[in-house]
Amino acid sequence: MSSTLKGRVAIVTGAGHGIGKAYARRLAEEGASVVIAEIDAEAAELVAKELNAEGFRALAVHTDVTIPQSTMEMARLAVETFGRIDILVNNAAIFISVPMSRAPFDEIDPGEWDRMMAVNVKGAWLSSCAVAPYMRKQAYGKIINISSGTALKGSDNRIHYVASKAAILGFTKTLANELGKAGVCVNCIAPGSTLSEENPDEAIIKRRTAASSARAIPRLQTPEDMLGAVVFFASADSDFITGQTLVVDGGSCMH
Ligand SMILES: NC(=O)c1ccc[n+]([C@@H]2O[C@H](COP(=O)([O-])OP(=O)(O)OC[C@H]3O[C@@H](n4cnc5c(N)ncnc54)[C@H](O)[C@@H]3O)[C@@H](O)[C@H]2O)c1
């Protein structure tokens, strides 16, 4: 266990599955207390139980990031349990665990479009609103938004998802401007296609592997590949860096 984030408190939304779960574990390994804020209550409890059994400090909070009262309660419970909030990772999304349909742009269901925006964009906004008062009060905080390489390159048959992830790029810059004076840094990570499925079948592995050929480092991307970036943006090492998007994709997208 390292002590880079000793004494810090982190909330990771959507930490019950996939990459968010890996973020929560790594932040805990770096010394932070972690809140597993997740719509799948059972998964959240399981992750928190595992971490606590290993001697880390974790709290599961059943959270729907689209509901203001739910995000406020997430922040309130984080402070009640651990005393403060230093880090928010806006990771929850409609993607795999809560699946999206992959269809041409003119066949996407309007209801699914709205839900996508509600979780992936409004959810990041509401979660940020919920933690901001605590971060302002302590004049310190780190908000890390999760976009996607798809926002920079475009991806067929998921225009609602891509549009939601592109929104996060502008959201990051605006929030960074508005919270800079309060001592809060806001940055963004844009992962490439990552093998984050819990039980991937051969078709999924094949699809994820296909993305590798476009990379300068031509291999499969796993959740572990993002952990250095999340710790960097969560730590004091990035205290003068804000409004930035770091692409973590093995050099597929170089802008
Ligand atoms: N896996 C990839 O290839 C990839 C690539 C680029 C970006 N991303 C992004 O990384 C993040 C994690 O993706 P993942 O691959 O682990 O997928 P995932 O679907 O497993 O993770 C998303 C998590 O958010 C939770 N969630 C969904 N709706 C919620 C809500 N309303 N409130 C709270 N939690 C909710 C899900 O239950 C799940 O745990 C997402 O933001 C995704 O867009 C993933």
Side-chain angles (χ1 to χ4, degrees):
M1 180 158 148
S2 152
S3 58
T4 308
L5 301 176
K6 192 162 181 268
R8 298 293 183 198
V9 177
I11 297 176
V12 183
T13 67
H17 297 281
I19 307 174
K21 186 169 151 178
Y23 291 148
R25 166 168 288 275
R26 181 62 189 272
L27 293 172
E29 286 169 358
E30 296 289 338
S33 302
V34 290
V35 174
I36 315 298
E38 170 57 65
I39 198 160
D40 180 346
E42 213 174 298
E45 289 293 348
L46 208 64
V47 173
K49 200 171 154 197
E50 270 172 27
L51 291 174
N52 285 321
E54 291 176 50
F56 302 118
R57 287 170 308 278
L59 173 74
V61 178
H62 183 210
T63 308
D64 182 343
V65 294
T66 68
I67 299 173
Q69 295 87 332
S70 185
T71 54
M72 303 287 272
E73 184 62 1
M74 164 190 90
R76 194 191 67 75
L77 284 171
V79 172
E80 184 184 273
T81 310
F82 297 128
R84 51 191 291 131
I85 303 168
D86 301 287
I87 301 153
L88 167 68
V89 185
N90 278 319
N91 167 82
I94 292 192
F95 189 45
I96 291 172
S97 302
V98 179
M100 65 173 173
S101 48
R102 292 165 191 259
F105 76 94
D106 49 356
E107 290 176 23
I108 304 255
D109 174 67
E112 188 176 319
W113 176 282
D114 289 345
R115 184 68 188 160
M116 184 67 83
M117 295 302 157
V119 177
N120 296 16
V121 185
K122 187 179 171 192
W125 170 59
L126 289 177
S127 301
S128 302
C129 291
V131 303
Y134 302 100
M135 290 183 171
R136 279 196 168 114
K137 207 165 152 195
Q138 64 202 27
Y140 190 81
K142 302 283 196 171
I143 296 179
I144 304 164
N145 300 317
I146 307 299
S147 178
S148 167
T150 58
L152 303 162
K153 299 192 291 187
S155 281
D156 292 355
N157 298 326
R158 68 198 77 164
I159 199 166
H160 52 344
Y161 175 76
V162 176
S164 75
K165 290 294 163 180
I168 290 299
L169 304 175
F171 173 84
T172 297
K173 292 178 188 181
T174 304
L175 197 61
N177 263 325
E178 293 200 28
L179 285 176
K181 284 188 202 73
V184 178
C185 297
V186 184
N187 290 294
C188 177
I189 297 171
S193 176
T194 304
L195 187 68
S196 61
E197 288 84 359
E198 277 152 4
N199 299 300
D201 60 23
E202 263 186 43
I204 289 167
I205 295 173
K206 212 169 152 193
R207 195 174 73 221
R208 298 285 187 209
T209 306
S212 309
S213 61
R215 295 186 167 132
I217 304 168
R219 67 156 171 79
L220 197 65
Q221 181 164 352
T222 66
E224 286 63 39
D225 289 313
M226 263 74 70
L227 302 184
V230 90
V231 172
F232 175 64
F233 282 142
S235 78
D237 285 346
S238 59
D239 275 356
F240 201 53
I241 299 173
T242 195
Q244 304 303 308
T245 292
L246 181 59
V247 181
V248 181
D249 70 352
S252 170
C253 181
M254 298 191 201
H255 280 151

